[in-house]
Amino acid sequence: LCIACNSLTFCEQLKTKTMGDQYKPRVVGGDIMDHVNDAVVVVGQVQEQDGTTLKVRCADDQALTLTFAEPVQDLTKFVEITGKVEASGTVQVWTASNLGEDFDLAMYAQALGVIKQYPEVFHA
């Protein structure tokens, strides 16, 4: 879902808003304050949803608050978010992708460990 134009497809408006093809680190709740003003990718389990605010549990079991420009609906139990980390530690959402109802956060945490172990491979 493109927050910039409410389209379900990629658009040029979104590319500009999300800093184009720039590398965006995959972060968990415990890392979020290391990325203030950065574009990041967050994967989590939806815990609470209220209008434009979403609370998720990340792979490190930390809670994270995400804010949307407009009320969001139709999210699955697990989501992937791309957005910008604000000084408050919340993430201003640019895009949200549904990951379904049975995504394995523990396996995702292991994958993040591999990404951190081999940054030269994954941060190109």
Side-chain angles (χ1 to χ4, degrees):
L1 171 66
C2 174
I3 303 303
C5 69
N6 293 324
S7 168
L8 291 176
T9 61
F10 183 80
C11 69
E12 287 302 312
Q13 191 176 6
L14 174 64
K15 182 176 180 182
T16 301
K17 189 168 185 167
T18 61
M19 301 181 188
D21 294 329
Q22 174 185 345
Y23 170 75
K24 297 167 198 66
R26 291 184 169 273
V27 299
V28 291
D31 298 335
I32 205 71
M33 294 310 290
D34 295 335
H35 296 280
V36 172
N37 293 322
D38 292 342
V40 298
V41 177
V42 175
V43 170
Q45 179 179 0
V46 175
Q47 300 292 298
E48 188 178 323
Q49 185 176 350
D50 183 23
T52 59
T53 302
L54 183 69
K55 293 189 181 185
V56 298
R57 180 179 59 86
C58 297
D60 64 349
D61 259 349
Q62 297 281 329
L64 192 57
T65 301
L66 314 167
T67 56
F68 290 80
E70 296 185 16
V72 64
Q73 299 175 1
D74 300 326
L75 293 177
T76 59
K77 184 176 181 179
F78 295 95
V79 294
E80 178 183 73
I81 301 295
T82 301
K84 180 181 176 185
V85 180
E86 303 293 334
S88 63
T90 62
V91 176
Q92 179 62 48
V93 177
W94 292 333
T95 64
S97 299
N98 285 322
L99 298 177
E101 302 299 323
D102 59 356
F103 186 84
D104 189 340
L105 273 181
M107 183 65 72
Y108 180 73
Q110 289 180 3
L112 289 178
V114 172
I115 290 170
K116 287 183 180 182
Q117 186 175 0
Y118 300 101
E120 66 280 359
V121 174
F122 294 100
H123 297 184

